[in-house]
Every structure is written in structure tokens, then in C-alpha cells.
Amino acid sequence: MNAAGARNPSPHAFRGRRASFRGLPVALAVAAAAMAAASPHRAYSQETVRERIAAIRFPEIRFTRLEPESHTVRGVPVYFFHDSELPLVTFYATFDGGVRNLTRDHLAAASALPNLLRTGGTAELPPDSVDERIELMGLAMSFGQGGGGATSWVNTLTDHMDEAVPLWASMLRAPRFDSAQVERWRGTELERVRRGRDDPGTLAFGRFNHIMYGDHPVGWEMDDADLEPADLAPEKLRHVHGAIICPDNMVLGVTGDVTWQRASAMLEEMLDGWPPCSGTLLEDAVPVIRDEPGVFVIHREIEQSVIVMAHVSRLRQGDNPAYFASRVANSILGASGFSSRLVTEVRTREGLAYGASSLWTTSSRNDGLVGALTRTRPEATLEATRLILATFDSMRAAPPAAEEVARTIDETVNGFVFNFRTPLQVISRGMAYRALGLPDDWLERYVRGIQGVTPRAVQEVFRREVDPARMTILLVGDTIRFDGSPSELGPVTVLEAGPPAPSPPRGSPRSPRSEGTSRPSRTPPPE
């Protein structure tokens, strides 16, 4: 990190370097035209023109990593990046701790916290007064959380900073948790939970997480029992707030048209008197992920089946060749969109679905998942599932083409510059790396690691880490219309069965479906 007062390259200047690089072919064409115009009576051969153009020397385009300054205010780490291009300032905060660090009976309170910080008012101001001030100053503001952390930021005109930042700090430090807003959130969440049961995608992804992670926070599915009024009682909300939104868990960032002297004074005022964390956050529970194959079925009379499959992945995020090879492998398999193998097979060649994608989650702390998902018509459910499994096998059987690997590497390297579009990206990334325990130059290490991946390395990581025979598969759809019995894919567990098939009239000939195995009964037979 730069020392305090170090001068950082202007993002605007960096964009200029990008523009000059992209304009290089045009510059060469202009140079050729200029040569011809300079001596209209002298003829040049094409070979001479090429030689002269090749002799032109351009200054080397160098990338200078934009680094924020690193400070500490009242024990809280602060990342600072001065940028006077626009009269705007952003204050950003992250907090370490979330749902995964609390017991299940705090699930609703932890989930409601970001919304209520924004809408629930402050100790001094009711919700409508907070809304009025935000609107009057034209503030952009955000409150959010993931399983293991919370974030918030405010963006304001520099002229409004003295009023906007204290307002934002009050919303974080002393929320009112207005009872009407609490009840409004509870009603909205109850409706979302109920509608989620009717949305095939939401149902499939939530249920699959529960199948794989069980009674771990990742596998928790919010239901009506989690949303009783007592689950959002003031004492529970205060407990969650005091345990998470507090200086001990905080990292701050400031960027924009403000000096460090002025920003640090505002942070001193913001943190002064903020009580330390209260309550208890549990240690991150190591998930025990399901590690045996099987097929799970949920019957729904819908026009598109949802297919989700995955198995546990032991690969961790880190500066090692296998990790970088897995990123390229995942992109080739299904994470790169229409150019991926899954889309090529499932959509382009067979016309079974609009799209398909892969997933390969990697954490520096815990195991993850590797798998795929798609949607297709009920009559092609098993066919699409088998095709995805066969695509996994093809990645294991032979190295990908050199062109596939080169394209993926080029996409990563060419997209590198977009990680530095705004100063806020620079400081938020530094804050995220700190939370994950990654080095400050992780992005550069990542690009170098990707550049070193070979087709053989992609095959090797696939053969070592991915096994289609170990997949846990979830099928959500109209089982009566499936193109075979789910038991053909492996041992079946029926989570929600369809209605029983009607019995044929006495004395009538048996239906052809009951003679063979081309169609299952409405309730897939468990094994």
C-alpha cells in the first residue's frame, strides 16, 4: 500500500492508455496513408510500406496498479483513494459476521437487518424524516449482507458530505427498528417464502442447498416458522445489530473528491463513542457437505423441468496451479456462456434448453461444490441430464483444444482492466481481500496464474476433482411427462410426489406405458 500522501495514478489517465492501445491498428493505417501523401510523386511497394510501418516505434504500454492509501482510525482499518474527477465522495463499510455466525433462531433478525437499517429510522429521526433527507440531498445508499458479512455505503456530492455522512453513520450506529417497518418486512418476507414454493428455480436451488449442506447456515431455508413476530422482537434485532454492526468487525473505505485530512476528521467523529461489539458471534461452522450420489425428485406440474447437479469439491482458493486450472476448466465447461461446452451440447446441437451453466465454488476456508444446472421440457429431462454428465466425461477424457484454453485466458487478461474502472472498485476489492485473507496483489497473481494454464492442466484438474458418477442430482418437474424413470440415473429419493396414476377400467387392455419402462408412473419408484 502507498504511504499516506502518496500520489496515485489518475483513473482518467489510465483510461487514456487503454484508448491508445485500442487505437493502434487505426494509427498504423493513418501512418501508411501519411507516407503515401508525403511523397505523391514517389511510388512505394507494398513491401516497403510494411517495412516502414514495422520500423515505427511506440512507447511501451505499462500497467500501473492503482493502490489506495492504508490508514487506521480509532483502531479501524481505513482504505483511502483521492479522486477529484467528479465532485462526489463515497464512504464504504464492511462488517465481518452474518447469518453463518448466529443460531437458527436469529435467522429472521439477521436477514432483516440490512432492510431495517435503511428503512427503520434512527434513534433521533423517524423513517419518513430519514427518507426526506436522503431524497433532498440526492444520496445513493446501500445496505446488504452475505452469509458471513455485511456491507454499506453512501455516495454524496462533496458539498453535502458534512450532513450526509453523519446521517449514514446514525443509520448504522443507532437504528430505530420502527415497529411498522419491521412488520412490513415480515409480511413481505412471508409472501416471498410462499411464492418461492411456486417458483421452480427458487424451489430447486433452495432445496438443493439443503440437500447438500443439511443443517448448516448455507442449507437453511426460510419458512413460516422462522417469521413469527417473536423472531423479530426488538431484543433480537438489537442483539444481532450489536454483534455485527460494530467497530471491532469493521473495515472502512473512503474515495472521491475529499482530502485525507478532512475524511479522517469525519471518521474520527463517526467512530467516537461507538460502543464495542456486544453479543456473541459463533465461529464459522465447517459445513459437512453430502458426499454420496443420488437422485432427488420434486413433482411439479410445470412446463420446464429444473435440473441441478453437483458434488463436493475439495479444491481451495489459493495461489496454486490446480486452482487456476479449475477456473479455466469451469469457464470452458459452462461459465463462459454461449461459447461453453454445455451450451454447445445442450442448446446448439441438441436443442434441449435455452441455456446451461456450470458451477465450481472455491473457498479459501471450506470445501465447495462443482456441478451444473439447466432447464428443459419435461419430455427431455433425463436426456438433458445424461448429456450434461457426458459433457463432464468429455472434459475428463481428453485435454481441451488449445484454442479453447487460449480464448479463456485472453478473456480473463483482456478483462483485467475493467477491475480498475472506478476508485470504489479499487478500495472495495482491497477490503474484500483483507476479509478473505488474500494478499493485496491477489488480482495480479490471479492473472499470472491463469496465463500459465495449459490444456493438459485443465484435463488433469478435471480428472482429479470431478467425477460424474458422484453427482447428487435434483429434478424438479412434471414426473408423469419425464422421458424415463429417474431411477435410471441412480437411487431415488422422492421429496414431493405427484398424484397417483389412475387405474385402467376393469377389463380394458393394459396401457403400453405399463408394459415397458419408457415412462414412469406419477410417483417415481424409490430405490
Side-chain angles (χ1 to χ4, degrees), residues 155-190:
N155 177 265
T156 176
L157 287 168
T158 306
D159 290 345
H160 293 160
M161 183 172 59
D162 289 338
E163 185 178 354
V165 174
L167 174 64
W168 174 66
S170 295
M171 295 168 74
L172 288 171
R173 286 185 55 164
R176 178 182 290 244
F177 295 131
D178 180 82
S179 59
Q181 294 297 328
V182 172
E183 186 59 27
R184 179 176 297 176
W185 182 88
R186 191 177 80 90
T188 301
E189 192 67 10
L190 279 169

PDB file of all heavy atoms in Angstrom, residues 155-190:
ATOM      1  N   ASN A 155     -23.038   7.463  -1.164  1.00  0.00           N
ATOM      2  CA  ASN A 155     -22.404   8.296  -2.174  1.00  0.00           C
ATOM      3  C   ASN A 155     -23.106   9.648  -2.174  1.00  0.00           C
ATOM      4  O   ASN A 155     -24.331   9.719  -2.269  1.00  0.00           O
ATOM      5  CB  ASN A 155     -22.494   7.629  -3.550  1.00  0.00           C
ATOM      6  CG  ASN A 155     -21.903   8.481  -4.651  1.00  0.00           C
ATOM      7  OD1 ASN A 155     -22.612   9.220  -5.325  1.00  0.00           O
ATOM      8  ND2 ASN A 155     -20.606   8.390  -4.841  1.00  0.00           N
ATOM      9  N   THR A 156     -22.321  10.723  -2.088  1.00  0.00           N
ATOM     10  CA  THR A 156     -22.905  12.049  -1.949  1.00  0.00           C
ATOM     11  C   THR A 156     -22.082  13.090  -2.703  1.00  0.00           C
ATOM     12  O   THR A 156     -20.890  12.888  -2.954  1.00  0.00           O
ATOM     13  CB  THR A 156     -22.969  12.452  -0.457  1.00  0.00           C
ATOM     14  OG1 THR A 156     -23.455  13.791  -0.349  1.00  0.00           O
ATOM     15  CG2 THR A 156     -21.598  12.379   0.194  1.00  0.00           C
ATOM     16  N   LEU A 157     -22.716  14.189  -3.058  1.00  0.00           N
ATOM     17  CA  LEU A 157     -21.974  15.341  -3.535  1.00  0.00           C
ATOM     18  C   LEU A 157     -21.055  15.839  -2.427  1.00  0.00           C
ATOM     19  O   LEU A 157     -21.423  15.809  -1.240  1.00  0.00           O
ATOM     20  CB  LEU A 157     -22.924  16.463  -3.957  1.00  0.00           C
ATOM     21  CG  LEU A 157     -23.705  16.261  -5.260  1.00  0.00           C
ATOM     22  CD1 LEU A 157     -24.806  17.316  -5.371  1.00  0.00           C
ATOM     23  CD2 LEU A 157     -22.771  16.337  -6.463  1.00  0.00           C
ATOM     24  N   THR A 158     -19.888  16.307  -2.806  1.00  0.00           N
ATOM     25  CA  THR A 158     -18.937  16.787  -1.804  1.00  0.00           C
ATOM     26  C   THR A 158     -19.555  17.884  -0.935  1.00  0.00           C
ATOM     27  O   THR A 158     -19.317  17.940   0.275  1.00  0.00           O
ATOM     28  CB  THR A 158     -17.669  17.312  -2.499  1.00  0.00           C
ATOM     29  OG1 THR A 158     -17.151  16.305  -3.363  1.00  0.00           O
ATOM     30  CG2 THR A 158     -16.613  17.689  -1.487  1.00  0.00           C
ATOM     31  N   ASP A 159     -20.369  18.742  -1.532  1.00  0.00           N
ATOM     32  CA  ASP A 159     -20.984  19.839  -0.777  1.00  0.00           C
ATOM     33  C   ASP A 159     -21.945  19.348   0.304  1.00  0.00           C
ATOM     34  O   ASP A 159     -22.223  20.073   1.264  1.00  0.00           O
ATOM     35  CB  ASP A 159     -21.730  20.779  -1.728  1.00  0.00           C
ATOM     36  CG  ASP A 159     -20.789  21.580  -2.615  1.00  0.00           C
ATOM     37  OD1 ASP A 159     -19.583  21.628  -2.300  1.00  0.00           O
ATOM     38  OD2 ASP A 159     -21.263  22.136  -3.625  1.00  0.00           O
ATOM     39  N   HIS A 160     -22.481  18.134   0.155  1.00  0.00           N
ATOM     40  CA  HIS A 160     -23.434  17.603   1.138  1.00  0.00           C
ATOM     41  C   HIS A 160     -22.782  16.637   2.118  1.00  0.00           C
ATOM     42  O   HIS A 160     -23.469  16.064   2.973  1.00  0.00           O
ATOM     43  CB  HIS A 160     -24.574  16.860   0.419  1.00  0.00           C
ATOM     44  CG  HIS A 160     -25.452  17.760  -0.391  1.00  0.00           C
ATOM     45  ND1 HIS A 160     -26.251  17.301  -1.404  1.00  0.00           N
ATOM     46  CD2 HIS A 160     -25.645  19.106  -0.329  1.00  0.00           C
ATOM     47  CE1 HIS A 160     -26.912  18.313  -1.945  1.00  0.00           C
ATOM     48  NE2 HIS A 160     -26.560  19.422  -1.302  1.00  0.00           N
ATOM     49  N   MET A 161     -21.477  16.448   2.017  1.00  0.00           N
ATOM     50  CA  MET A 161     -20.800  15.422   2.798  1.00  0.00           C
ATOM     51  C   MET A 161     -20.956  15.633   4.308  1.00  0.00           C
ATOM     52  O   MET A 161     -21.156  14.674   5.062  1.00  0.00           O
ATOM     53  CB  MET A 161     -19.315  15.387   2.427  1.00  0.00           C
ATOM     54  CG  MET A 161     -18.509  14.307   3.110  1.00  0.00           C
ATOM     55  SD  MET A 161     -16.833  14.205   2.434  1.00  0.00           S
ATOM     56  CE  MET A 161     -16.236  15.871   2.772  1.00  0.00           C
ATOM     57  N   ASP A 162     -20.881  16.875   4.756  1.00  0.00           N
ATOM     58  CA  ASP A 162     -20.939  17.141   6.195  1.00  0.00           C
ATOM     59  C   ASP A 162     -22.273  16.735   6.813  1.00  0.00           C
ATOM     60  O   ASP A 162     -22.357  16.498   8.018  1.00  0.00           O
ATOM     61  CB  ASP A 162     -20.687  18.628   6.462  1.00  0.00           C
ATOM     62  CG  ASP A 162     -19.238  19.019   6.195  1.00  0.00           C
ATOM     63  OD1 ASP A 162     -18.382  18.108   6.221  1.00  0.00           O
ATOM     64  OD2 ASP A 162     -18.977  20.201   5.932  1.00  0.00           O
ATOM     65  N   GLU A 163     -23.321  16.689   6.005  1.00  0.00           N
ATOM     66  CA  GLU A 163     -24.629  16.260   6.508  1.00  0.00           C
ATOM     67  C   GLU A 163     -24.907  14.803   6.160  1.00  0.00           C
ATOM     68  O   GLU A 163     -25.515  14.074   6.946  1.00  0.00           O
ATOM     69  CB  GLU A 163     -25.731  17.145   5.924  1.00  0.00           C
ATOM     70  CG  GLU A 163     -27.116  16.849   6.475  1.00  0.00           C
ATOM     71  CD  GLU A 163     -28.182  17.784   5.917  1.00  0.00           C
ATOM     72  OE1 GLU A 163     -27.824  18.727   5.185  1.00  0.00           O
ATOM     73  OE2 GLU A 163     -29.369  17.554   6.223  1.00  0.00           O
ATOM     74  N   ALA A 164     -24.451  14.358   4.997  1.00  0.00           N
ATOM     75  CA  ALA A 164     -24.773  13.004   4.525  1.00  0.00           C
ATOM     76  C   ALA A 164     -24.062  11.924   5.336  1.00  0.00           C
ATOM     77  O   ALA A 164     -24.670  10.916   5.713  1.00  0.00           O
ATOM     78  CB  ALA A 164     -24.406  12.868   3.045  1.00  0.00           C
ATOM     79  N   VAL A 165     -22.795  12.117   5.621  1.00  0.00           N
ATOM     80  CA  VAL A 165     -22.033  11.079   6.328  1.00  0.00           C
ATOM     81  C   VAL A 165     -22.534  10.890   7.761  1.00  0.00           C
ATOM     82  O   VAL A 165     -22.715   9.750   8.209  1.00  0.00           O
ATOM     83  CB  VAL A 165     -20.522  11.377   6.272  1.00  0.00           C
ATOM     84  CG1 VAL A 165     -19.743  10.379   7.129  1.00  0.00           C
ATOM     85  CG2 VAL A 165     -20.032  11.325   4.835  1.00  0.00           C
ATOM     86  N   PRO A 166     -22.772  11.945   8.532  1.00  0.00           N
ATOM     87  CA  PRO A 166     -23.345  11.730   9.866  1.00  0.00           C
ATOM     88  C   PRO A 166     -24.711  11.038   9.824  1.00  0.00           C
ATOM     89  O   PRO A 166     -25.031  10.233  10.713  1.00  0.00           O
ATOM     90  CB  PRO A 166     -23.456  13.145  10.438  1.00  0.00           C
ATOM     91  CG  PRO A 166     -22.388  13.913   9.733  1.00  0.00           C
ATOM     92  CD  PRO A 166     -22.361  13.362   8.349  1.00  0.00           C
ATOM     93  N   LEU A 167     -25.539  11.343   8.807  1.00  0.00           N
ATOM     94  CA  LEU A 167     -26.821  10.650   8.683  1.00  0.00           C
ATOM     95  C   LEU A 167     -26.607   9.159   8.461  1.00  0.00           C
ATOM     96  O   LEU A 167     -27.243   8.328   9.112  1.00  0.00           O
ATOM     97  CB  LEU A 167     -27.626  11.249   7.535  1.00  0.00           C
ATOM     98  CG  LEU A 167     -28.939  10.526   7.194  1.00  0.00           C
ATOM     99  CD1 LEU A 167     -29.916  10.603   8.353  1.00  0.00           C
ATOM    100  CD2 LEU A 167     -29.551  11.104   5.918  1.00  0.00           C
ATOM    101  N   TRP A 168     -25.713   8.836   7.540  1.00  0.00           N
ATOM    102  CA  TRP A 168     -25.393   7.424   7.261  1.00  0.00           C
ATOM    103  C   TRP A 168     -24.839   6.743   8.507  1.00  0.00           C
ATOM    104  O   TRP A 168     -25.234   5.611   8.838  1.00  0.00           O
ATOM    105  CB  TRP A 168     -24.383   7.376   6.114  1.00  0.00           C
ATOM    106  CG  TRP A 168     -23.832   6.033   5.788  1.00  0.00           C
ATOM    107  CD1 TRP A 168     -24.511   4.967   5.276  1.00  0.00           C
ATOM    108  CD2 TRP A 168     -22.466   5.616   5.922  1.00  0.00           C
ATOM    109  NE1 TRP A 168     -23.650   3.902   5.082  1.00  0.00           N
ATOM    110  CE2 TRP A 168     -22.395   4.278   5.458  1.00  0.00           C
ATOM    111  CE3 TRP A 168     -21.309   6.236   6.374  1.00  0.00           C
ATOM    112  CZ2 TRP A 168     -21.183   3.558   5.464  1.00  0.00           C
ATOM    113  CZ3 TRP A 168     -20.112   5.536   6.363  1.00  0.00           C
ATOM    114  CH2 TRP A 168     -20.056   4.211   5.915  1.00  0.00           C
ATOM    115  N   ALA A 169     -23.964   7.439   9.237  1.00  0.00           N
ATOM    116  CA  ALA A 169     -23.394   6.862  10.457  1.00  0.00           C
ATOM    117  C   ALA A 169     -24.472   6.603  11.501  1.00  0.00           C
ATOM    118  O   ALA A 169     -24.456   5.576  12.193  1.00  0.00           O
ATOM    119  CB  ALA A 169     -22.314   7.790  11.012  1.00  0.00           C
ATOM    120  N   SER A 170     -25.438   7.512  11.622  1.00  0.00           N
ATOM    121  CA  SER A 170     -26.529   7.315  12.585  1.00  0.00           C
ATOM    122  C   SER A 170     -27.391   6.110  12.210  1.00  0.00           C
ATOM    123  O   SER A 170     -27.864   5.374  13.085  1.00  0.00           O
ATOM    124  CB  SER A 170     -27.399   8.568  12.660  1.00  0.00           C
ATOM    125  OG  SER A 170     -26.670   9.652  13.175  1.00  0.00           O
ATOM    126  N   MET A 171     -27.615   5.913  10.916  1.00  0.00           N
ATOM    127  CA  MET A 171     -28.399   4.760  10.476  1.00  0.00           C
ATOM    128  C   MET A 171     -27.690   3.451  10.825  1.00  0.00           C
ATOM    129  O   MET A 171     -28.336   2.442  11.138  1.00  0.00           O
ATOM    130  CB  MET A 171     -28.654   4.859   8.974  1.00  0.00           C
ATOM    131  CG  MET A 171     -29.512   6.053   8.589  1.00  0.00           C
ATOM    132  SD  MET A 171     -29.535   6.400   6.812  1.00  0.00           S
ATOM    133  CE  MET A 171     -30.572   5.055   6.222  1.00  0.00           C
ATOM    134  N   LEU A 172     -26.350   3.467  10.757  1.00  0.00           N
ATOM    135  CA  LEU A 172     -25.585   2.275  11.131  1.00  0.00           C
ATOM    136  C   LEU A 172     -25.499   2.109  12.650  1.00  0.00           C
ATOM    137  O   LEU A 172     -25.694   1.012  13.170  1.00  0.00           O
ATOM    138  CB  LEU A 172     -24.173   2.353  10.551  1.00  0.00           C
ATOM    139  CG  LEU A 172     -24.016   2.161   9.041  1.00  0.00           C
ATOM    140  CD1 LEU A 172     -22.588   2.493   8.620  1.00  0.00           C
ATOM    141  CD2 LEU A 172     -24.362   0.727   8.647  1.00  0.00           C
ATOM    142  N   ARG A 173     -25.205   3.194  13.348  1.00  0.00           N
ATOM    143  CA  ARG A 173     -24.910   3.110  14.779  1.00  0.00           C
ATOM    144  C   ARG A 173     -26.150   2.953  15.636  1.00  0.00           C
ATOM    145  O   ARG A 173     -26.160   2.177  16.595  1.00  0.00           O
ATOM    146  CB  ARG A 173     -24.166   4.380  15.233  1.00  0.00           C
ATOM    147  CG  ARG A 173     -22.737   4.467  14.792  1.00  0.00           C
ATOM    148  CD  ARG A 173     -22.055   5.684  15.398  1.00  0.00           C
ATOM    149  NE  ARG A 173     -22.159   5.727  16.863  1.00  0.00           N
ATOM    150  CZ  ARG A 173     -21.416   6.492  17.632  1.00  0.00           C
ATOM    151  NH1 ARG A 173     -20.515   7.307  17.088  1.00  0.00           N
ATOM    152  NH2 ARG A 173     -21.562   6.490  18.940  1.00  0.00           N
ATOM    153  N   ALA A 174     -27.197   3.706  15.318  1.00  0.00           N
ATOM    154  CA  ALA A 174     -28.345   3.777  16.221  1.00  0.00           C
ATOM    155  C   ALA A 174     -29.651   3.608  15.458  1.00  0.00           C
ATOM    156  O   ALA A 174     -30.458   4.544  15.375  1.00  0.00           O
ATOM    157  CB  ALA A 174     -28.332   5.115  16.973  1.00  0.00           C
ATOM    158  N   PRO A 175     -29.907   2.451  14.900  1.00  0.00           N
ATOM    159  CA  PRO A 175     -31.167   2.250  14.173  1.00  0.00           C
ATOM    160  C   PRO A 175     -32.360   2.239  15.116  1.00  0.00           C
ATOM    161  O   PRO A 175     -32.276   1.751  16.244  1.00  0.00           O
ATOM    162  CB  PRO A 175     -30.965   0.881  13.507  1.00  0.00           C
ATOM    163  CG  PRO A 175     -29.976   0.172  14.380  1.00  0.00           C
ATOM    164  CD  PRO A 175     -29.054   1.234  14.896  1.00  0.00           C
ATOM    165  N   ARG A 176     -33.479   2.743  14.633  1.00  0.00           N
ATOM    166  CA  ARG A 176     -34.695   2.804  15.447  1.00  0.00           C
ATOM    167  C   ARG A 176     -35.442   1.476  15.448  1.00  0.00           C
ATOM    168  O   ARG A 176     -36.118   1.131  16.414  1.00  0.00           O
ATOM    169  CB  ARG A 176     -35.603   3.905  14.900  1.00  0.00           C
ATOM    170  CG  ARG A 176     -36.938   4.049  15.622  1.00  0.00           C
ATOM    171  CD  ARG A 176     -37.776   5.131  14.953  1.00  0.00           C
ATOM    172  NE  ARG A 176     -37.216   6.447  15.188  1.00  0.00           N
ATOM    173  CZ  ARG A 176     -37.831   7.407  15.878  1.00  0.00           C
ATOM    174  NH1 ARG A 176     -39.021   7.182  16.406  1.00  0.00           N
ATOM    175  NH2 ARG A 176     -37.278   8.577  16.029  1.00  0.00           N
ATOM    176  N   PHE A 177     -35.350   0.727  14.336  1.00  0.00           N
ATOM    177  CA  PHE A 177     -36.132  -0.502  14.150  1.00  0.00           C
ATOM    178  C   PHE A 177     -37.614  -0.217  14.359  1.00  0.00           C
ATOM    179  O   PHE A 177     -38.297  -0.852  15.188  1.00  0.00           O
ATOM    180  CB  PHE A 177     -35.657  -1.627  15.077  1.00  0.00           C
ATOM    181  CG  PHE A 177     -34.263  -2.100  14.784  1.00  0.00           C
ATOM    182  CD1 PHE A 177     -33.328  -2.238  15.808  1.00  0.00           C
ATOM    183  CD2 PHE A 177     -33.865  -2.411  13.495  1.00  0.00           C
ATOM    184  CE1 PHE A 177     -32.043  -2.675  15.538  1.00  0.00           C
ATOM    185  CE2 PHE A 177     -32.573  -2.849  13.220  1.00  0.00           C
ATOM    186  CZ  PHE A 177     -31.658  -2.977  14.245  1.00  0.00           C
ATOM    187  N   ASP A 178     -38.114   0.735  13.622  1.00  0.00           N
ATOM    188  CA  ASP A 178     -39.514   1.145  13.702  1.00  0.00           C
ATOM    189  C   ASP A 178     -40.431  -0.067  13.555  1.00  0.00           C
ATOM    190  O   ASP A 178     -40.286  -0.877  12.636  1.00  0.00           O
ATOM    191  CB  ASP A 178     -39.795   2.156  12.589  1.00  0.00           C
ATOM    192  CG  ASP A 178     -41.219   2.638  12.591  1.00  0.00           C
ATOM    193  OD1 ASP A 178     -41.531   3.545  13.364  1.00  0.00           O
ATOM    194  OD2 ASP A 178     -42.019   2.095  11.795  1.00  0.00           O
ATOM    195  N   SER A 179     -41.363  -0.216  14.463  1.00  0.00           N
ATOM    196  CA  SER A 179     -42.197  -1.420  14.519  1.00  0.00           C
ATOM    197  C   SER A 179     -43.035  -1.602  13.254  1.00  0.00           C
ATOM    198  O   SER A 179     -43.240  -2.730  12.793  1.00  0.00           O
ATOM    199  CB  SER A 179     -43.110  -1.386  15.749  1.00  0.00           C
ATOM    200  OG  SER A 179     -43.945  -0.229  15.719  1.00  0.00           O
ATOM    201  N   ALA A 180     -43.505  -0.507  12.666  1.00  0.00           N
ATOM    202  CA  ALA A 180     -44.296  -0.620  11.437  1.00  0.00           C
ATOM    203  C   ALA A 180     -43.435  -1.150  10.291  1.00  0.00           C
ATOM    204  O   ALA A 180     -43.892  -1.966   9.480  1.00  0.00           O
ATOM    205  CB  ALA A 180     -44.905   0.735  11.080  1.00  0.00           C
ATOM    206  N   GLN A 181     -42.183  -0.692  10.231  1.00  0.00           N
ATOM    207  CA  GLN A 181     -41.287  -1.173   9.185  1.00  0.00           C
ATOM    208  C   GLN A 181     -40.889  -2.628   9.420  1.00  0.00           C
ATOM    209  O   GLN A 181     -40.716  -3.393   8.458  1.00  0.00           O
ATOM    210  CB  GLN A 181     -40.033  -0.291   9.125  1.00  0.00           C
ATOM    211  CG  GLN A 181     -40.297   1.132   8.691  1.00  0.00           C
ATOM    212  CD  GLN A 181     -40.846   1.209   7.270  1.00  0.00           C
ATOM    213  OE1 GLN A 181     -40.514   0.394   6.417  1.00  0.00           O
ATOM    214  NE2 GLN A 181     -41.702   2.189   7.015  1.00  0.00           N
ATOM    215  N   VAL A 182     -40.741  -3.025  10.671  1.00  0.00           N
ATOM    216  CA  VAL A 182     -40.442  -4.433  10.990  1.00  0.00           C
ATOM    217  C   VAL A 182     -41.576  -5.323  10.513  1.00  0.00           C
ATOM    218  O   VAL A 182     -41.356  -6.360   9.864  1.00  0.00           O
ATOM    219  CB  VAL A 182     -40.207  -4.612  12.501  1.00  0.00           C
ATOM    220  CG1 VAL A 182     -40.105  -6.103  12.853  1.00  0.00           C
ATOM    221  CG2 VAL A 182     -38.946  -3.882  12.946  1.00  0.00           C
ATOM    222  N   GLU A 183     -42.791  -4.924  10.803  1.00  0.00           N
ATOM    223  CA  GLU A 183     -43.932  -5.735  10.405  1.00  0.00           C
ATOM    224  C   GLU A 183     -44.104  -5.739   8.887  1.00  0.00           C
ATOM    225  O   GLU A 183     -44.511  -6.757   8.305  1.00  0.00           O
ATOM    226  CB  GLU A 183     -45.199  -5.217  11.078  1.00  0.00           C
ATOM    227  CG  GLU A 183     -46.436  -6.075  10.852  1.00  0.00           C
ATOM    228  CD  GLU A 183     -46.265  -7.509  11.340  1.00  0.00           C
ATOM    229  OE1 GLU A 183     -45.459  -7.737  12.271  1.00  0.00           O
ATOM    230  OE2 GLU A 183     -46.946  -8.412  10.782  1.00  0.00           O
ATOM    231  N   ARG A 184     -43.779  -4.638   8.257  1.00  0.00           N
ATOM    232  CA  ARG A 184     -43.865  -4.591   6.792  1.00  0.00           C
ATOM    233  C   ARG A 184     -42.867  -5.578   6.179  1.00  0.00           C
ATOM    234  O   ARG A 184     -43.198  -6.287   5.235  1.00  0.00           O
ATOM    235  CB  ARG A 184     -43.595  -3.175   6.300  1.00  0.00           C
ATOM    236  CG  ARG A 184     -43.630  -3.035   4.781  1.00  0.00           C
ATOM    237  CD  ARG A 184     -43.461  -1.579   4.367  1.00  0.00           C
ATOM    238  NE  ARG A 184     -44.570  -0.764   4.872  1.00  0.00           N
ATOM    239  CZ  ARG A 184     -44.645   0.562   4.737  1.00  0.00           C
ATOM    240  NH1 ARG A 184     -43.655   1.206   4.115  1.00  0.00           N
ATOM    241  NH2 ARG A 184     -45.675   1.224   5.208  1.00  0.00           N
ATOM    242  N   TRP A 185     -41.644  -5.595   6.719  1.00  0.00           N
ATOM    243  CA  TRP A 185     -40.652  -6.546   6.199  1.00  0.00           C
ATOM    244  C   TRP A 185     -41.106  -7.982   6.436  1.00  0.00           C
ATOM    245  O   TRP A 185     -40.960  -8.833   5.560  1.00  0.00           O
ATOM    246  CB  TRP A 185     -39.296  -6.320   6.870  1.00  0.00           C
ATOM    247  CG  TRP A 185     -38.245  -7.245   6.331  1.00  0.00           C
ATOM    248  CD1 TRP A 185     -37.447  -7.031   5.246  1.00  0.00           C
ATOM    249  CD2 TRP A 185     -37.911  -8.554   6.820  1.00  0.00           C
ATOM    250  NE1 TRP A 185     -36.627  -8.114   5.027  1.00  0.00           N
ATOM    251  CE2 TRP A 185     -36.896  -9.066   5.975  1.00  0.00           C
ATOM    252  CE3 TRP A 185     -38.368  -9.331   7.875  1.00  0.00           C
ATOM    253  CZ2 TRP A 185     -36.323 -10.329   6.170  1.00  0.00           C
ATOM    254  CZ3 TRP A 185     -37.796 -10.596   8.075  1.00  0.00           C
ATOM    255  CH2 TRP A 185     -36.789 -11.076   7.231  1.00  0.00           C
ATOM    256  N   ARG A 186     -41.664  -8.242   7.607  1.00  0.00           N
ATOM    257  CA  ARG A 186     -42.106  -9.606   7.920  1.00  0.00           C
ATOM    258  C   ARG A 186     -43.201 -10.057   6.951  1.00  0.00           C
ATOM    259  O   ARG A 186     -43.170 -11.178   6.437  1.00  0.00           O
ATOM    260  CB  ARG A 186     -42.619  -9.685   9.368  1.00  0.00           C
ATOM    261  CG  ARG A 186     -42.850 -11.118   9.857  1.00  0.00           C
ATOM    262  CD  ARG A 186     -43.287 -11.114  11.312  1.00  0.00           C
ATOM    263  NE  ARG A 186     -44.695 -10.794  11.442  1.00  0.00           N
ATOM    264  CZ  ARG A 186     -45.684 -11.700  11.432  1.00  0.00           C
ATOM    265  NH1 ARG A 186     -45.412 -12.992  11.283  1.00  0.00           N
ATOM    266  NH2 ARG A 186     -46.933 -11.318  11.565  1.00  0.00           N
ATOM    267  N   GLY A 187     -44.154  -9.182   6.674  1.00  0.00           N
ATOM    268  CA  GLY A 187     -45.209  -9.540   5.741  1.00  0.00           C
ATOM    269  C   GLY A 187     -44.681  -9.787   4.339  1.00  0.00           C
ATOM    270  O   GLY A 187     -45.090 -10.732   3.654  1.00  0.00           O
ATOM    271  N   THR A 188     -43.758  -8.935   3.901  1.00  0.00           N
ATOM    272  CA  THR A 188     -43.162  -9.114   2.575  1.00  0.00           C
ATOM    273  C   THR A 188     -42.394 -10.422   2.488  1.00  0.00           C
ATOM    274  O   THR A 188     -42.453 -11.146   1.485  1.00  0.00           O
ATOM    275  CB  THR A 188     -42.232  -7.933   2.252  1.00  0.00           C
ATOM    276  OG1 THR A 188     -42.974  -6.712   2.294  1.00  0.00           O
ATOM    277  CG2 THR A 188     -41.596  -8.092   0.878  1.00  0.00           C
ATOM    278  N   GLU A 189     -41.658 -10.747   3.550  1.00  0.00           N
ATOM    279  CA  GLU A 189     -40.858 -11.972   3.542  1.00  0.00           C
ATOM    280  C   GLU A 189     -41.746 -13.215   3.588  1.00  0.00           C
ATOM    281  O   GLU A 189     -41.445 -14.217   2.934  1.00  0.00           O
ATOM    282  CB  GLU A 189     -39.893 -11.961   4.736  1.00  0.00           C
ATOM    283  CG  GLU A 189     -38.827 -13.026   4.687  1.00  0.00           C
ATOM    284  CD  GLU A 189     -37.825 -12.815   3.564  1.00  0.00           C
ATOM    285  OE1 GLU A 189     -37.845 -11.742   2.926  1.00  0.00           O
ATOM    286  OE2 GLU A 189     -37.015 -13.736   3.321  1.00  0.00           O
ATOM    287  N   LEU A 190     -42.831 -13.159   4.339  1.00  0.00           N
ATOM    288  CA  LEU A 190     -43.770 -14.280   4.351  1.00  0.00           C
ATOM    289  C   LEU A 190     -44.311 -14.540   2.950  1.00  0.00           C
ATOM    290  O   LEU A 190     -44.408 -15.694   2.504  1.00  0.00           O
ATOM    291  CB  LEU A 190     -44.923 -13.995   5.317  1.00  0.00           C
ATOM    292  CG  LEU A 190     -44.664 -14.255   6.804  1.00  0.00           C
ATOM    293  CD1 LEU A 190     -45.808 -13.673   7.642  1.00  0.00           C
ATOM    294  CD2 LEU A 190     -44.528 -15.759   7.074  1.00  0.00           C
TER     295      LEU A 190
END
